[in-house]
Amino acid sequence: SVPVLHASEYHYEYTACDSLGSRWRVAVPHTPGLCTGLPDPIKGTECSFSCKAGQFLDMKDQSCKPCAEGRYSLGTGIRFDEWDELPHGFASIATNLEIDNSFSESLENCTTSTWVPLGDYVASNTDECTATLMYAVNLKQSGTVSFEYIYPDSSIIFEFFVQNDQCQPTVEESRWMRTTEKGWELHSVELSRGNNVLYWRTTAFSVWSKVPKPVLVRNIGITGVAYTSECFPCKAGTYAATSGSSFCKLCPANSYSSKGATSCQQCAPDAYSDQGSSSCKPRPPCTDKDYFSTHTACDASGETQLMFKWAEPKTCSEDLPTAVQLPPSGVKTKCPPCNPGFFKTNSSACEPCPSGSYSNGSGCISCAAGTEPVLGFEYKWWNTLPANMETTVLSGINFEYKGIAGWEVAGDYIYTAAGASDNDFMILTMVVPGFRPPQSVMEDVENKEVARITFVFETVCSVNCELYFMVGVNSRPNTPVETWKGSKGKQSYTYIIEKNATMSFTWAFQRTAYHEAGRKYTNDIVKLYSINVTNVMDGVASYCRLCALESSGSCTSCPSGNYIDRASGACHPCTPSTYLKAHQPYGSQACIPCGPGTKSNKIHSLCYNDCRFSLDKDGRTLEYDFSALPNSTSFAGGPSFTSKGLKYFHHFSISLCGNHGRKMATCTDNVTDMRVSDGEAEFSKSVTSYVCQSIIVPSDVMGYKTIVSSQPVSLADRVVGVTTDTALDNITSLPEHFSPENVGLTDVIFFYRSNDVTQSCSSGRATAIRLRCDPLKTGSGALSVPSKCPDGTCDGCTFHFLWETSAACPLCSAYDYHAIVSACLGGIQRTTYVWREPKLCTGGVPLPEQKVSICKTMDFWLKVGISAGTCAAVLLTVMTCYFWKKNQNLDELMALGGCWNGRCSACGWERKAVPCST
């Protein structure tokens, strides 16, 4: 007889489903080739059959059984939560971009730019290669894929999409992932039955020197796969205490577990562990890096005390021989005053002053008649954390938020406390519900300043620390607006708020990006001395200002373009060609003269150029009209290449005059806009100004449907002036940046400044556009940047452009042409007018029409001359005969004797003259 195999020598599997959706259960031997002694095939469960989460299909009797303690199942799914290496079935591939072959020799290769498993999660690349993480799965029924991710940096494009049997991707719009603001976020997508290929794809646009933060993905779960014939053991550091678990719980701090645990073991008193640990570490002796100081809240007596606390979580031991002990608490001292706009209650707490009053931090004083409170927030005393601020710590290891304070108050300042690890992010956030700018600002659509936030800070660092200042609008993700690296002396920074919305301001400090056990750099800190926010809705006031008065004596707003007379409180209009400082409209000196070549708008909120310009030169006036140039035009510099061969362009959009001060040039960031719904489009990352710049990656390079535009910045928010001088308001446009100017006709230069103040550009970015007359370049003409500075700027702050166009020529006048008179032909003479060469004018006075006049030819004058000559000859002959005859008669008279010339002659031919007698 055939020996029957033992149950341990084979396992059960199902056959492929037939067209009716049925299958067979068959026994498969562990040793290949053994085909005898196996149980007979029997009818299997329906192909659509599945067990619930926390159960598995026992193939022996084909029924669902609960998972044992220490194990879990997803029912119809699989989960990938261990990333020490790439799990079976995953592929991580990197692709070079379509690059210019001439650069291929010097290129760094993209083959190493892949997704990298890092224990609890997998991390994306951070360069401009395209890295793709792929997983193919066949679903027996429709299901889902879910995963947690962190995506903090919009300079990486991160997309997740699924392709089905027909290689058709799922909904196009949902593939673009949204940046995360607070730790891990969950994303899930429904999957259809059949074959599905999952793609996680990243490409960075790190064309600046800053390296973006990678995308992190963990806990990938897929349901609808098939039956689960076994449960998975809990990974080390987790446990499942009950049977039928669909997931495992993390071991709490100071405990550990091994694989498949049903409970966690406590660490010994001299050891510690973090949450989810597989082992314990010995506690080091405590040092002065393990504690910090803070101030207690004011007590009923108005006193505070310096206290020392162990940094949380406490991982050091005080009992070891070299350990440092916690210093005793300090003596009690008098509490500092409340912040401006607040007053002390009987319990020594600080409360905001009532509406219509102000304070310097002590008592509240009502605003005098004819004044109004200046609302805002001014924090300069730090005895307790203000009510609209909160602090936390974001782990630099697993990017989980910890329930501990990242910043501590210290009287004169607030500073970063010790984190659990030196690479933790110490986070301080302030939320402002909205703003109430002056009425004149509300009416002015172009002057974007709604309010401003100014803070004074200092960083003390021994290694490569970083301080980030981030701004969030209407609870959208925070956008870093400035970063400081290393130690920075005490300084102030101002950020202009341009939208009236709920704003969050976040300060995040990381001591080092590298993780090491223990605390080494606790003394690396940020001190924040003061924060001042203006025009805050429902804010408090530290002083009152004069206001315009109604006849009843109550405060009102001046009409736009009016300043307040300090003596009378009356409103007076600004003089023409001046603009008003909207936030300090006191006295005539608040009306500031416009720059050369500009004039103010009707409400005196800004100065602009109306696309016209006059220039007195060599005794004549040149008139220019630039209105033929388009409201907005754009151009790209030459191509640039990153080290990996990504081709990109600096793309500039220019609106020379705007539209009566309304800026028309727009640059967008469609990396983030791809993920912004229509309702939030107003707050998407786009810039509108006179001149702006973005980074453009052509669509043929990335394989995306649209070109990718990222990192827009404004280069020109206001017109400083229009002139032919090479310098204005400390902005210089050097002639040597470009080819020589036209002889006898200088370039007209538009000077601008932007509102963005950066560490390197303390006065904001500036732009100079040279307009050069070139009659051959009609229409928009040609824009160029300096050949030595292909990015448009040589110092990173001032941008230079040359715009050669016929529209930059002065308007033609009578000086620009001269007359040419033709010879007289057929009694007709023509006067023709021609332009002087080279012609350096356009439009204006047209060339006069040719003049035609009647004239006498040479033949006519010749005939006249001959006739006149003949007449003269005849007349001369007649005269000659006449005088000859007369002379002859005289001689005869003398021969006879007589008087000649009063004398008598009686002597014949002898002319003896004797006096004549009567």
Side-chain angles (χ1 to χ4, degrees), residues 260-284:
T262 58
S263 63
C264 300
Q265 307 297 312
Q266 287 297 312
C267 293
D270 60 351
Y272 76 98
S273 72
D274 297 322
Q275 187 186 39
S277 293
S278 58
S279 61
C280 298
K281 293 176 269 193
R283 292 182 183 271

Side-chain angles (χ1 to χ4, degrees), residues 76 86 110 181 215 369 429 447 575 711 846 869 873 916:
T76 64
L86 218 54
C110 274
E181 182 179 8
V215 176
T429 299
N447 192 349
T575 55
Q711 299 155 41
C916 291

